[in-house]
Amino acid sequence: MNPEAAGRSRRKLTIRSVYQCLYESKEGCTKAELAQKLGLSLPTIYQCIAELMGKGLICYAGELQSTGGRRPQCLQVVADARVAVGISLMEDRIRMVVTDLYLKELHYRNLRHNLQLQSDELAAFLAESLEQFLHDSGTDRKKLLGIGIAIPGVISPDRKRLLLAPTLGLRNLNLDSLTQRISYPVFWENDGTCSGKAEMFVRGGQANMAYLSLEDGVGGAVLISGKPYPGEQLRSGEFGHMCVEPAGLPCACGRRGCLEAYCSARRFQNTLGVSLEDFFKGLRRHVPEYENLWYDLLRHLAIGVNNIRMVLDCDVVLGGYLSEYLEPYLPQLQAYAAANNTFESNADYLRMSVLRRHTVPLGAALYFIQEFLNNSEI
Ligand SMILES: [Zn+2]
């Protein structure tokens, strides 16, 4: 690298370090604090700030209506200087969010569909719904970093194909064909992985975590040292298809006794023909049939949770929309899990997720936020 190019590259790194420092600082920073924290001279700080302000990426806290307790002379990141969209693609609906750089949900939409996932119609529906959503939410396309799309299935390592999605009844779906009408950068990710990443992000860097997502499908993510462990085939955290009851209930994957067969949010509909809301109303009235099913679900969930704990020896966090109903039953679930465990007399490692709503689409959007913060040219 010639000296001029090396100088430019160094300058970019310095600007990024100033931006990241402001991003991570909850209180905001003055110029002097930035210089001190980063070990840079004040003239260098002035230059970086001028450039970042010129791009609209940072501002003085005093320039905003709500300074959130920050000192007016403090500099801070403009949270919505860039935005990302996350989409959760499901069998019968799509959920979409627009988020700012702190993963704060700015807009949300839930749309039903009855289209085949392999179809051209779905590709058109996705692109049109997205454009309508961006329009209705007043999202500035120039600020849009990209569209993360989450899908409940195993994605090929090159992210071009959906290899297997038992809950959708799909194999070998070409993902590019689904997004060819979308004119923004697109990134596909497994839904459980998205949720785990979002949960880790809002927790602010808990070191190790197994995230167990309970939705129509059951999946999750393994996060080690704050980062997802994807596995060699991008199949890590597929907790839903570990066996918790040999020759047990049939699973959508074609096998028997999988955790998903016992703990899917669909089980109430499939077994009793009732919605999730009605099931929990009945459970609170102690309908015996409902109680039998619920405690069977909890016992199998406890087997799965204990197995995860045995393998990974870290916190197990319960998320997904079924978990919204689980909190009152957590002590019972912990008691079941502890009873299965050889080494521990309690299951305090089992926790509820912090992020309860729209976790999957938020996690899908997160990919582009992290790319912007860590890898893009700021
Ligand atoms: Zn299965």
Side-chain angles (χ1 to χ4, degrees):
M1 200 186 282
N2 65 44
E4 211 172 293
R8 270 201 306 276
S9 160
R10 223 175 17 251
R11 199 170 128 78
K12 280 178 191 165
L13 283 176
T14 308
I15 289 174
R16 179 188 299 285
S17 69
V18 170
Y19 184 76
Q20 284 176 336
C21 188
L22 286 173
Y23 181 86
E24 282 156 19
S25 154
K26 287 196 173 63
E27 305 296 317
C29 290
T30 63
K31 290 168 189 160
E33 285 164 352
L34 276 173
Q36 195 197 10
K37 277 188 187 183
L38 295 168
L40 296 168
S41 70
L42 269 175
T44 305
I45 293 290
Y46 288 143
Q47 275 178 13
C48 293
I49 285 168
E51 188 153 344
L52 289 167
M53 277 192 168
K55 290 179 176 173
L57 291 173
I58 62 170
C59 67
Y60 285 102
E63 291 170 22
L64 298 178
Q65 279 185 337
S66 161
T67 60
R70 292 176 171 124
R71 296 158 289 164
Q73 75 278 22
C74 273
L75 289 151
Q76 65 182 61
V77 160
V78 177
D80 63 354
R82 296 288 184 276
V83 295
V85 167
I87 300 179
S88 166
L89 177 56
M90 301 169 78
E91 186 182 22
D92 56 356
R93 62 194 165 121
I94 59 173
R95 296 179 291 168
M96 298 185 280
V97 293
V98 181
T99 84
D100 70 11
L101 288 168
Y102 288 96
L103 205 64
K104 183 174 149 220
E105 181 179 310
L106 302 176
H107 306 283
Y108 174 77
R109 179 166 288 174
N110 181 0
L111 285 176
R112 297 230 156 240
H113 71 80
N114 54 7
L115 303 166
Q116 292 281 327
L117 287 191
Q118 294 103 320
S119 63
D120 262 4
E121 288 78 13
L122 186 85
F125 172 75
L126 259 183
E128 283 160 22
S129 306
L130 172 64
E131 284 304 329
Q132 193 64 48
F133 181 48
L134 293 174
H135 176 266
D136 295 347
S137 60
T139 302
D140 181 350
R141 268 80 160 175
K142 288 198 287 294
K143 294 181 174 178
L144 181 56
L145 295 168
I147 318 293
I149 309 180
I151 192 159
V154 176
I155 294 170
S156 65
D158 63 5
R159 298 185 189 275
K160 292 191 178 302
R161 282 173 305 134
L162 175 73
L163 297 176
L164 175 65
T167 47
L168 304 176
L170 283 178
R171 265 175 202 280
N172 260 326
L173 174 68
N174 177 346
L175 293 174
D176 283 346
S177 68
L178 273 183
T179 51
Q180 60 195 355
R181 296 171 199 236
I182 295 178
S183 52
Y184 313 99
V186 168
F187 185 78
W188 286 92
E189 183 65 279
N190 169 270
D191 61 346
T193 306
C194 286
S195 301
K197 283 162 67 175
E199 177 74 15
M200 182 64 93
F201 182 82
V202 298
R203 279 175 183 251
Q206 177 178 348
N208 304 313
M209 180 177 91
Y211 182 88
L212 179 56
S213 169
L214 305 171
E215 301 220 328
D216 288 356
V218 173
V222 177
L223 297 115
I224 297 173
S225 302
K227 293 199 172 65
Y229 167 72
E232 292 183 5
Q233 318 292 327
L234 297 189
R235 281 201 299 252
S236 103
E238 282 292 335
F239 302 127
H241 302 285
M242 62 183 180
C243 185
V244 292
E245 185 72 64
L249 293 177
C251 179
C253 73
R255 301 194 172 273
R256 283 183 170 273
C258 295
L259 185 64
E260 180 169 303
Y262 287 86
C263 303
S264 158
R266 281 182 179 174
R267 193 172 169 199
F268 315 108
Q269 186 70 46
N270 292 347
T271 313
L272 301 168
V274 295
S275 70
L276 211 56
E277 288 76 17
D278 288 342
F279 175 80
F280 282 96
K281 278 183 202 158
L283 188 63
R284 284 192 286 273
R285 291 198 313 271
H286 302 289
V287 177
E289 209 183 355
Y290 289 22
E291 286 195 319
N292 287 342
L293 187 146
W294 181 242
Y295 289 101
D296 182 64
L297 184 152
L298 289 185
R299 275 192 295 274
H300 285 93
L301 180 55
I303 295 172
V305 163
N306 183 58
N307 289 348
I308 296 168
R309 173 73 172 178
M310 283 291 170
V311 175
L312 294 170
D313 189 24
C314 63
D315 277 4
V316 180
V317 175
L318 292 173
Y321 61 82
L322 177 57
S323 72
E324 289 177 35
Y325 298 87
L326 251 171
E327 190 145 25
Y329 308 95
L330 183 64
Q332 179 68 68
L333 182 61
Q334 285 173 322
Y336 285 151
N340 292 330
N341 194 294
T342 312
F343 306 113
E344 294 168 292
S345 58
N346 66 53
D348 293 348
Y349 63 84
L350 180 59
R351 294 161 192 272
M352 302 304 299
S353 58
V354 174
L355 203 55
R356 296 288 169 88
R357 293 170 61 77
H358 312 154
T359 318
V360 176
L362 285 172
L366 183 58
Y367 169 79
F368 283 100
I369 294 170
Q370 290 182 322
E371 277 296 296
F372 177 70
L373 294 173
N374 301 321
N375 299 324
S376 75
E377 190 167 313
I378 286 176

